[in-house]
Amino acid sequence: MSRLTTPAGLHEITPTWLTAALKHGGSLSDASVTSYSVEKVNEGKGFMNEIVRLKLDYDDEPGNLPSSIIIKLPSTDPALKALEEKERTCQREIRFYTEIAPDAGLGTPYCYYGDVDPITGHAILLLEDMGGARHGDSVAGCSFADAENALRQLAAFHAKWWNNPELDNYSWLPLKDV
């Protein structure tokens, strides 16, 4: 399949583009997205990027296509956008979801589509909507139980990947000498 044009923002996402992106992710359905509604997810939550939930309508039975997805786009704030471009956080996150997450040993949302346009730098992630899961809040923090769960998940992740020779296949990961 040919490379999709990466939208510059939410205003450029069309039902046709969504259909192509979802099918790029391996859907076997013949349904097409006909329309969608937008719900902001990250307002007041301390997130750096624009994150929205799209509720999708189809022209036929969607089969394995989702009824809603989460879309993550770079921030529109110039200062945050400059920081993201310097640190390449969108590129690394997209590559994590598309290259590592399927075998990471962590519970991660399914990635329907993720890409960074090498010419424009536009980036987008289409992720599984985790529904009723609680949203983290980097400003308010978390409970002791949440911190304990996070540490257990991180320990399992590190146990799987510590000195793993597969890491040599991911030249985009930043190396940190401790």
Side-chain angles (χ1 to χ4, degrees):
M1 178 177 273
S2 63
R3 180 185 201 105
L4 296 175
T5 301
T6 305
L10 191 58
H11 64 282
E12 289 188 5
I13 296 174
T14 66
T16 302
W17 187 90
L18 282 168
T19 299
L22 290 169
K23 293 195 183 217
H24 188 275
S27 170
L28 302 176
S29 174
D30 289 331
S32 296
V33 177
T34 56
S35 64
Y36 62 87
S37 60
V38 178
E39 175 188 336
K40 290 278 188 182
V41 172
N42 64 325
E43 285 186 319
K45 299 287 185 190
F47 288 100
M48 190 168 144
N49 300 76
E50 181 179 12
I51 304 171
V52 297
R53 173 178 289 114
L54 298 187
K55 294 191 178 184
L56 307 173
D57 296 311
Y58 296 97
D59 62 356
D60 198 359
E61 286 299 314
N64 67 336
L65 292 172
S67 60
S68 65
I69 57 174
I70 298 297
I71 294 205
K72 188 169 185 181
L73 297 157
S75 175
T76 55
D77 179 292
L80 291 176
K81 193 164 181 67
L83 178 62
E84 185 286 317
E85 288 170 1
K86 179 182 175 215
E87 298 296 324
R88 300 174 47 160
T89 55
C90 282
Q91 291 177 18
R92 287 197 312 253
E93 183 177 21
I94 288 167
R95 292 190 77 174
F96 169 80
Y97 276 108
T98 58
E99 297 174 32
I100 295 177
D103 192 39
L106 289 172
T108 58
Y110 178 76
C111 180
Y112 294 102
Y113 183 80
D115 196 26
V116 177
D117 186 298
I119 296 168
T120 65
H122 299 152
I124 191 165
L125 261 174
L126 277 64
L127 299 171
E128 174 186 7
D129 185 351
M130 300 301 285
R134 265 185 308 121
H135 296 280
D137 190 324
S138 62
V139 176
C142 65
S143 69
F144 180 79
D146 287 341
E148 182 178 33
N149 183 42
L151 287 174
R152 287 185 194 284
Q153 294 290 317
L154 286 171
F157 180 76
H158 281 277
K160 177 179 174 113
W161 292 96
W162 191 264
N163 289 328
N164 187 323
E166 287 182 50
L167 290 172
D168 294 336
N169 299 328
Y170 305 112
S171 61
W172 51 270
L173 283 173
L175 297 176
K176 304 283 186 195
D177 290 329
V178 187

PDB file of all heavy atoms in Angstrom, residues 30-54:
ATOM      1  N   ASP A  30     -14.973  -4.238   4.579  1.00  0.00           N
ATOM      2  CA  ASP A  30     -15.209  -3.443   3.371  1.00  0.00           C
ATOM      3  C   ASP A  30     -15.880  -2.110   3.686  1.00  0.00           C
ATOM      4  O   ASP A  30     -16.107  -1.301   2.796  1.00  0.00           O
ATOM      5  CB  ASP A  30     -16.088  -4.219   2.387  1.00  0.00           C
ATOM      6  CG  ASP A  30     -15.349  -5.381   1.752  1.00  0.00           C
ATOM      7  OD1 ASP A  30     -14.112  -5.298   1.600  1.00  0.00           O
ATOM      8  OD2 ASP A  30     -16.005  -6.385   1.429  1.00  0.00           O
ATOM      9  N   ALA A  31     -16.218  -1.890   4.953  1.00  0.00           N
ATOM     10  CA  ALA A  31     -16.909  -0.659   5.346  1.00  0.00           C
ATOM     11  C   ALA A  31     -15.987   0.550   5.187  1.00  0.00           C
ATOM     12  O   ALA A  31     -14.768   0.441   5.254  1.00  0.00           O
ATOM     13  CB  ALA A  31     -17.383  -0.761   6.795  1.00  0.00           C
ATOM     14  N   SER A  32     -16.617   1.705   4.984  1.00  0.00           N
ATOM     15  CA  SER A  32     -15.892   2.973   4.897  1.00  0.00           C
ATOM     16  C   SER A  32     -16.437   3.925   5.940  1.00  0.00           C
ATOM     17  O   SER A  32     -17.639   3.937   6.221  1.00  0.00           O
ATOM     18  CB  SER A  32     -16.072   3.594   3.510  1.00  0.00           C
ATOM     19  OG  SER A  32     -15.502   2.781   2.521  1.00  0.00           O
ATOM     20  N   VAL A  33     -15.564   4.755   6.483  1.00  0.00           N
ATOM     21  CA  VAL A  33     -15.994   5.797   7.414  1.00  0.00           C
ATOM     22  C   VAL A  33     -16.775   6.831   6.623  1.00  0.00           C
ATOM     23  O   VAL A  33     -16.317   7.296   5.575  1.00  0.00           O
ATOM     24  CB  VAL A  33     -14.780   6.456   8.114  1.00  0.00           C
ATOM     25  CG1 VAL A  33     -15.221   7.587   9.034  1.00  0.00           C
ATOM     26  CG2 VAL A  33     -13.966   5.418   8.885  1.00  0.00           C
ATOM     27  N   THR A  34     -17.975   7.172   7.108  1.00  0.00           N
ATOM     28  CA  THR A  34     -18.788   8.181   6.420  1.00  0.00           C
ATOM     29  C   THR A  34     -18.767   9.519   7.148  1.00  0.00           C
ATOM     30  O   THR A  34     -18.918  10.563   6.532  1.00  0.00           O
ATOM     31  CB  THR A  34     -20.250   7.716   6.291  1.00  0.00           C
ATOM     32  OG1 THR A  34     -20.747   7.404   7.592  1.00  0.00           O
ATOM     33  CG2 THR A  34     -20.337   6.503   5.371  1.00  0.00           C
ATOM     34  N   SER A  35     -18.606   9.472   8.470  1.00  0.00           N
ATOM     35  CA  SER A  35     -18.540  10.703   9.256  1.00  0.00           C
ATOM     36  C   SER A  35     -17.964  10.366  10.628  1.00  0.00           C
ATOM     37  O   SER A  35     -17.811   9.193  10.979  1.00  0.00           O
ATOM     38  CB  SER A  35     -19.924  11.338   9.405  1.00  0.00           C
ATOM     39  OG  SER A  35     -20.784  10.480  10.139  1.00  0.00           O
ATOM     40  N   TYR A  36     -17.646  11.413  11.381  1.00  0.00           N
ATOM     41  CA  TYR A  36     -17.142  11.213  12.737  1.00  0.00           C
ATOM     42  C   TYR A  36     -17.455  12.432  13.580  1.00  0.00           C
ATOM     43  O   TYR A  36     -17.662  13.534  13.067  1.00  0.00           O
ATOM     44  CB  TYR A  36     -15.640  10.908  12.750  1.00  0.00           C
ATOM     45  CG  TYR A  36     -14.775  12.024  12.203  1.00  0.00           C
ATOM     46  CD1 TYR A  36     -14.327  13.058  13.018  1.00  0.00           C
ATOM     47  CD2 TYR A  36     -14.393  12.035  10.862  1.00  0.00           C
ATOM     48  CE1 TYR A  36     -13.533  14.067  12.522  1.00  0.00           C
ATOM     49  CE2 TYR A  36     -13.602  13.038  10.356  1.00  0.00           C
ATOM     50  CZ  TYR A  36     -13.157  14.051  11.197  1.00  0.00           C
ATOM     51  OH  TYR A  36     -12.371  15.056  10.691  1.00  0.00           O
ATOM     52  N   SER A  37     -17.499  12.226  14.883  1.00  0.00           N
ATOM     53  CA  SER A  37     -17.638  13.340  15.817  1.00  0.00           C
ATOM     54  C   SER A  37     -16.377  13.385  16.674  1.00  0.00           C
ATOM     55  O   SER A  37     -15.693  12.376  16.858  1.00  0.00           O
ATOM     56  CB  SER A  37     -18.890  13.177  16.683  1.00  0.00           C
ATOM     57  OG  SER A  37     -18.819  11.981  17.431  1.00  0.00           O
ATOM     58  N   VAL A  38     -16.069  14.568  17.181  1.00  0.00           N
ATOM     59  CA  VAL A  38     -14.821  14.811  17.900  1.00  0.00           C
ATOM     60  C   VAL A  38     -15.103  15.137  19.356  1.00  0.00           C
ATOM     61  O   VAL A  38     -15.993  15.938  19.664  1.00  0.00           O
ATOM     62  CB  VAL A  38     -14.051  15.994  17.260  1.00  0.00           C
ATOM     63  CG1 VAL A  38     -12.771  16.299  18.022  1.00  0.00           C
ATOM     64  CG2 VAL A  38     -13.764  15.723  15.795  1.00  0.00           C
ATOM     65  N   GLU A  39     -14.333  14.526  20.244  1.00  0.00           N
ATOM     66  CA  GLU A  39     -14.399  14.823  21.674  1.00  0.00           C
ATOM     67  C   GLU A  39     -12.969  15.041  22.164  1.00  0.00           C
ATOM     68  O   GLU A  39     -12.108  14.183  21.990  1.00  0.00           O
ATOM     69  CB  GLU A  39     -15.024  13.634  22.407  1.00  0.00           C
ATOM     70  CG  GLU A  39     -15.035  13.753  23.899  1.00  0.00           C
ATOM     71  CD  GLU A  39     -15.496  12.470  24.569  1.00  0.00           C
ATOM     72  OE1 GLU A  39     -16.215  11.678  23.941  1.00  0.00           O
ATOM     73  OE2 GLU A  39     -15.113  12.260  25.726  1.00  0.00           O
ATOM     74  N   LYS A  40     -12.696  16.214  22.762  1.00  0.00           N
ATOM     75  CA  LYS A  40     -11.372  16.487  23.318  1.00  0.00           C
ATOM     76  C   LYS A  40     -11.136  15.561  24.498  1.00  0.00           C
ATOM     77  O   LYS A  40     -12.018  15.340  25.305  1.00  0.00           O
ATOM     78  CB  LYS A  40     -11.266  17.942  23.798  1.00  0.00           C
ATOM     79  CG  LYS A  40     -11.239  18.946  22.672  1.00  0.00           C
ATOM     80  CD  LYS A  40      -9.841  19.055  22.129  1.00  0.00           C
ATOM     81  CE  LYS A  40      -9.764  20.193  21.135  1.00  0.00           C
ATOM     82  NZ  LYS A  40      -8.462  20.305  20.542  1.00  0.00           N
ATOM     83  N   VAL A  41      -9.933  15.030  24.599  1.00  0.00           N
ATOM     84  CA  VAL A  41      -9.601  14.112  25.683  1.00  0.00           C
ATOM     85  C   VAL A  41      -8.642  14.745  26.673  1.00  0.00           C
ATOM     86  O   VAL A  41      -8.718  14.499  27.863  1.00  0.00           O
ATOM     87  CB  VAL A  41      -8.977  12.811  25.106  1.00  0.00           C
ATOM     88  CG1 VAL A  41      -8.450  11.913  26.202  1.00  0.00           C
ATOM     89  CG2 VAL A  41      -9.990  12.078  24.255  1.00  0.00           C
ATOM     90  N   ASN A  42      -7.759  15.599  26.212  1.00  0.00           N
ATOM     91  CA  ASN A  42      -6.660  16.036  27.057  1.00  0.00           C
ATOM     92  C   ASN A  42      -6.784  17.418  27.682  1.00  0.00           C
ATOM     93  O   ASN A  42      -5.859  17.857  28.348  1.00  0.00           O
ATOM     94  CB  ASN A  42      -5.357  15.973  26.257  1.00  0.00           C
ATOM     95  CG  ASN A  42      -5.338  16.938  25.074  1.00  0.00           C
ATOM     96  OD1 ASN A  42      -6.357  17.176  24.447  1.00  0.00           O
ATOM     97  ND2 ASN A  42      -4.180  17.472  24.759  1.00  0.00           N
ATOM     98  N   GLU A  43      -7.892  18.090  27.511  1.00  0.00           N
ATOM     99  CA  GLU A  43      -7.996  19.438  28.062  1.00  0.00           C
ATOM    100  C   GLU A  43      -7.827  19.426  29.574  1.00  0.00           C
ATOM    101  O   GLU A  43      -8.494  18.680  30.282  1.00  0.00           O
ATOM    102  CB  GLU A  43      -9.339  20.062  27.689  1.00  0.00           C
ATOM    103  CG  GLU A  43      -9.385  20.496  26.242  1.00  0.00           C
ATOM    104  CD  GLU A  43     -10.655  21.236  25.899  1.00  0.00           C
ATOM    105  OE1 GLU A  43     -11.732  20.840  26.358  1.00  0.00           O
ATOM    106  OE2 GLU A  43     -10.551  22.221  25.155  1.00  0.00           O
ATOM    107  N   GLY A  44      -6.879  20.235  30.054  1.00  0.00           N
ATOM    108  CA  GLY A  44      -6.648  20.375  31.489  1.00  0.00           C
ATOM    109  C   GLY A  44      -6.009  19.162  32.141  1.00  0.00           C
ATOM    110  O   GLY A  44      -6.024  19.034  33.358  1.00  0.00           O
ATOM    111  N   LYS A  45      -5.427  18.268  31.351  1.00  0.00           N
ATOM    112  CA  LYS A  45      -4.846  17.034  31.904  1.00  0.00           C
ATOM    113  C   LYS A  45      -3.322  17.052  31.929  1.00  0.00           C
ATOM    114  O   LYS A  45      -2.708  16.085  32.327  1.00  0.00           O
ATOM    115  CB  LYS A  45      -5.313  15.808  31.101  1.00  0.00           C
ATOM    116  CG  LYS A  45      -6.804  15.602  31.120  1.00  0.00           C
ATOM    117  CD  LYS A  45      -7.259  15.106  32.461  1.00  0.00           C
ATOM    118  CE  LYS A  45      -8.740  14.797  32.410  1.00  0.00           C
ATOM    119  NZ  LYS A  45      -9.294  14.534  33.690  1.00  0.00           N
ATOM    120  N   GLY A  46      -2.689  18.108  31.469  1.00  0.00           N
ATOM    121  CA  GLY A  46      -1.236  18.179  31.498  1.00  0.00           C
ATOM    122  C   GLY A  46      -0.546  17.466  30.353  1.00  0.00           C
ATOM    123  O   GLY A  46       0.632  17.163  30.427  1.00  0.00           O
ATOM    124  N   PHE A  47      -1.265  17.186  29.257  1.00  0.00           N
ATOM    125  CA  PHE A  47      -0.654  16.536  28.102  1.00  0.00           C
ATOM    126  C   PHE A  47      -0.020  17.575  27.195  1.00  0.00           C
ATOM    127  O   PHE A  47      -0.479  18.716  27.111  1.00  0.00           O
ATOM    128  CB  PHE A  47      -1.700  15.752  27.299  1.00  0.00           C
ATOM    129  CG  PHE A  47      -2.172  14.498  27.984  1.00  0.00           C
ATOM    130  CD1 PHE A  47      -3.378  14.491  28.666  1.00  0.00           C
ATOM    131  CD2 PHE A  47      -1.420  13.347  27.952  1.00  0.00           C
ATOM    132  CE1 PHE A  47      -3.824  13.347  29.298  1.00  0.00           C
ATOM    133  CE2 PHE A  47      -1.855  12.201  28.581  1.00  0.00           C
ATOM    134  CZ  PHE A  47      -3.060  12.192  29.263  1.00  0.00           C
ATOM    135  N   MET A  48       1.018  17.159  26.484  1.00  0.00           N
ATOM    136  CA  MET A  48       1.746  18.068  25.604  1.00  0.00           C
ATOM    137  C   MET A  48       1.140  18.110  24.203  1.00  0.00           C
ATOM    138  O   MET A  48       1.253  19.103  23.520  1.00  0.00           O
ATOM    139  CB  MET A  48       3.198  17.588  25.528  1.00  0.00           C
ATOM    140  CG  MET A  48       4.133  18.530  24.851  1.00  0.00           C
ATOM    141  SD  MET A  48       5.810  17.970  25.187  1.00  0.00           S
ATOM    142  CE  MET A  48       6.578  18.352  23.656  1.00  0.00           C
ATOM    143  N   ASN A  49       0.491  17.042  23.765  1.00  0.00           N
ATOM    144  CA  ASN A  49      -0.027  16.952  22.404  1.00  0.00           C
ATOM    145  C   ASN A  49      -1.536  17.176  22.366  1.00  0.00           C
ATOM    146  O   ASN A  49      -2.194  17.209  23.387  1.00  0.00           O
ATOM    147  CB  ASN A  49       0.284  15.565  21.827  1.00  0.00           C
ATOM    148  CG  ASN A  49       1.763  15.299  21.793  1.00  0.00           C
ATOM    149  OD1 ASN A  49       2.358  15.012  22.819  1.00  0.00           O
ATOM    150  ND2 ASN A  49       2.370  15.402  20.641  1.00  0.00           N
ATOM    151  N   GLU A  50      -2.052  17.280  21.139  1.00  0.00           N
ATOM    152  CA  GLU A  50      -3.503  17.347  20.944  1.00  0.00           C
ATOM    153  C   GLU A  50      -4.018  15.915  20.873  1.00  0.00           C
ATOM    154  O   GLU A  50      -3.576  15.120  20.030  1.00  0.00           O
ATOM    155  CB  GLU A  50      -3.828  18.089  19.650  1.00  0.00           C
ATOM    156  CG  GLU A  50      -5.313  18.209  19.411  1.00  0.00           C
ATOM    157  CD  GLU A  50      -5.673  18.965  18.147  1.00  0.00           C
ATOM    158  OE1 GLU A  50      -4.791  19.226  17.309  1.00  0.00           O
ATOM    159  OE2 GLU A  50      -6.856  19.292  18.002  1.00  0.00           O
ATOM    160  N   ILE A  51      -4.937  15.580  21.773  1.00  0.00           N
ATOM    161  CA  ILE A  51      -5.482  14.221  21.822  1.00  0.00           C
ATOM    162  C   ILE A  51      -6.997  14.316  21.782  1.00  0.00           C
ATOM    163  O   ILE A  51      -7.602  15.020  22.589  1.00  0.00           O
ATOM    164  CB  ILE A  51      -5.034  13.477  23.096  1.00  0.00           C
ATOM    165  CG1 ILE A  51      -3.503  13.460  23.172  1.00  0.00           C
ATOM    166  CG2 ILE A  51      -5.591  12.059  23.122  1.00  0.00           C
ATOM    167  CD1 ILE A  51      -2.958  12.944  24.473  1.00  0.00           C
ATOM    168  N   VAL A  52      -7.594  13.610  20.815  1.00  0.00           N
ATOM    169  CA  VAL A  52      -9.046  13.631  20.660  1.00  0.00           C
ATOM    170  C   VAL A  52      -9.565  12.215  20.448  1.00  0.00           C
ATOM    171  O   VAL A  52      -8.844  11.331  19.988  1.00  0.00           O
ATOM    172  CB  VAL A  52      -9.508  14.530  19.483  1.00  0.00           C
ATOM    173  CG1 VAL A  52      -9.125  15.984  19.710  1.00  0.00           C
ATOM    174  CG2 VAL A  52      -8.962  14.029  18.159  1.00  0.00           C
ATOM    175  N   ARG A  53     -10.832  12.030  20.799  1.00  0.00           N
ATOM    176  CA  ARG A  53     -11.543  10.775  20.519  1.00  0.00           C
ATOM    177  C   ARG A  53     -12.430  11.049  19.312  1.00  0.00           C
ATOM    178  O   ARG A  53     -13.159  12.039  19.276  1.00  0.00           O
ATOM    179  CB  ARG A  53     -12.384  10.366  21.716  1.00  0.00           C
ATOM    180  CG  ARG A  53     -13.298   9.168  21.454  1.00  0.00           C
ATOM    181  CD  ARG A  53     -14.076   8.773  22.700  1.00  0.00           C
ATOM    182  NE  ARG A  53     -13.173   8.161  23.671  1.00  0.00           N
ATOM    183  CZ  ARG A  53     -12.857   8.686  24.862  1.00  0.00           C
ATOM    184  NH1 ARG A  53     -13.398   9.822  25.249  1.00  0.00           N
ATOM    185  NH2 ARG A  53     -12.022   8.076  25.662  1.00  0.00           N
ATOM    186  N   LEU A  54     -12.364  10.162  18.336  1.00  0.00           N
ATOM    187  CA  LEU A  54     -13.271  10.247  17.195  1.00  0.00           C
ATOM    188  C   LEU A  54     -14.263   9.101  17.314  1.00  0.00           C
ATOM    189  O   LEU A  54     -13.867   7.936  17.432  1.00  0.00           O
ATOM    190  CB  LEU A  54     -12.521  10.125  15.865  1.00  0.00           C
ATOM    191  CG  LEU A  54     -11.479  11.184  15.530  1.00  0.00           C
ATOM    192  CD1 LEU A  54     -10.974  10.986  14.105  1.00  0.00           C
ATOM    193  CD2 LEU A  54     -12.005  12.585  15.712  1.00  0.00           C
TER     194      LEU A  54
END
